[in-house]
Amino acid sequence: MRDAIRRGMCFNAIHLKSGLKFNLFVASRHALGREQLERRQEVVTALLGGDPIRFPVISAEDIVLVKLFWYRDGGERGCRGFVEATDRTEFREWRS
């Protein structure tokens, strides 16, 4: 994790009690990364009835950009994640 943060790469975190997996992308050091952080929204949630936690989340549009740039830069699984994201409810009306 520390190496990924230092190199500006993505990494996974797994909530051991629930098995939930989180894909974490380190904010890039260029202008887009700064803009994404400026647009972030704070989310408060509780995992499986635990104590509420507060964390920043970038917009859905910015997530798409991050995944596309990651895929372009050699992250093969980035495209699969992007395609999987299009299966979410909010995108169903646009699929043919």
Side-chain angles (χ1 to χ4, degrees):
M1 179 174 77
R2 288 182 181 151
D3 184 51
I5 291 170
R6 186 172 47 257
R7 294 180 10 203
M9 305 295 289
C10 67
F11 61 94
N12 296 321
I14 299 173
H15 184 258
L16 296 176
K17 202 171 195 180
S18 67
L20 293 173
K21 177 182 158 190
F22 300 88
N23 297 318
L24 302 171
F25 289 80
V26 177
S28 62
R29 293 181 178 100
H30 52 70
L32 177 60
R34 286 189 298 274
E35 290 177 26
Q36 290 171 329
L37 288 176
E38 289 173 8
R39 291 190 293 267
R40 72 186 180 266
Q41 303 259 328
E42 193 169 84
V43 174
V44 178
T45 189
L47 296 174
L48 301 174
D51 292 333
I53 56 173
R54 183 180 307 260
F55 56 94
V57 176
I58 63 173
S59 71
E61 296 85 357
D62 284 336
I63 291 170
V64 169
L65 285 173
V66 168
K67 291 229 176 215
L68 288 172
F69 289 140
W70 184 63
Y71 180 69
R72 179 199 64 192
D73 294 338
E76 291 180 31
R77 297 180 326 186
C79 188
R80 184 179 64 185
F82 175 71
V83 172
E84 289 170 358
T86 63
D87 287 336
R88 295 188 181 148
T89 305
E90 60 268 25
F91 295 114
R92 287 190 184 142
E93 66 185 77
W94 296 331
R95 289 192 313 223
S96 52

